[in-house]
Amino acid sequence: GRMRVPRVPSGPLVQATSEMVQTAAAVRQVFKQVEPDLEFGCFQVLHCPANWAELLGSSPQGQAILEEAGGELKLQDKALVQVEIGTMRGAPRGAARDARMSVHLSLSRSQVSALRDVRGGDEARVAMLTGDVMGVNLLGRQVRDVEVAALLRVLAAAHQTSVGQLARNYQQELARAGAAAAAAAAPLVTSPLKAAAPAAALPT
């Protein structure tokens, strides 16, 4: 019979998943390339520039986000926050070595200040973040966050790059790191050598 060719997945869900993967990679890269405005514990913070609307409207994708939000987007008091869960005490084994174990979210400046000032370290901060006061869900964040996408495009434009370029840079760095790790783990291949000459006597 005829061989069945597997269908390539397509449609809105696949496109949305692809966008989320690209956004996550680009956010990680922007935090690697740009010095955070604030850093405490496993939290890194980039504040939204004052001219965010101009920066967001400078690309077709940014304009699409503005249209999607329908005038409800208010970023002047917002910050893009990266939470490195993998560096927390009690994280899953090996997670501290996995830079990809990070969560990205949009918080207000007052929320960032509250998290910075809380006593008890990162455990207390994450408890406040996910508790009744802020109610952020760190697990299973599969829904596209319009504010995170918007903040990312604003910050990319502010540093004269694009989301696509940031994502590509991140993937290239991951590939280089993977190749370097593989090379370090590979057994040394030695070629047969002639017997070494006797060491010269050191002058006394």
Side-chain angles (χ1 to χ4, degrees), residues 47-58:
H47 292 307
C48 185
N51 61 334
W52 66 268
E54 176 189 342
L55 291 167
L56 187 58
S58 64

Side-chain angles (χ1 to χ4, degrees), residues 17-191:
T17 303
S18 175
E19 285 179 9
M20 284 191 292
V21 169
Q22 184 189 53
T23 297
V27 174
R28 292 185 191 108
Q29 187 63 22
V30 85
F31 274 99
K32 291 177 75 173
Q33 290 185 194
V34 180
E35 187 73 24
D37 295 312
L38 202 58
E39 193 166 4
F40 49 91
C42 64
F43 289 74
Q44 293 178 310
V45 181
L46 287 168
H47 292 307
C48 185
N51 61 334
W52 66 268
E54 176 189 342
L55 291 167
L56 187 58
S58 64
S59 71
Q61 296 88 347
Q63 290 173 11
I65 291 175
L66 283 170
E67 290 172 11
E68 181 184 345
E72 296 298 315
L73 202 59
K74 309 292 182 190
L75 299 181
Q76 57 269 24
D77 184 45
K78 294 291 185 176
L80 185 61
V81 180
Q82 175 168 268
V83 187
E84 293 281 9
I85 299 174
T87 64
M88 286 181 60
R89 191 175 63 194
R93 187 181 232 170
R97 297 190 299 272
D98 187 357
R100 288 170 290 179
M101 275 205 68
S102 54
V103 175
H104 307 102
L105 51 149
S106 167
L107 295 176
S108 69
R109 291 184 182 229
S110 60
Q111 287 175 318
V112 168
S113 295
L115 288 168
R116 181 193 59 196
D117 296 339
V118 73
R119 291 185 175 185
D122 286 334
E123 288 81 3
R125 292 187 181 107
V126 170
M128 174 185 278
L129 187 65
T130 57
D132 294 337
V133 179
M134 297 187 186
V136 174
N137 177 24
L138 296 183
L139 298 176
R141 288 173 59 82
Q142 299 299 324
V143 180
R144 177 171 174 263
D145 190 319
V146 175
E147 282 191 356
V148 167
L151 283 166
L152 173 60
R153 294 200 176 278
V154 168
L155 290 164
H159 293 89
Q160 299 178 344
T161 186
S162 69
V163 170
Q165 188 58 54
L166 287 167
R168 285 190 292 274
N169 290 351
Y170 181 76
Q171 296 298 342
Q172 287 166 6
E173 287 190 18
L174 270 189
R176 281 196 294 269
L188 291 174
V189 178
T190 56
S191 55

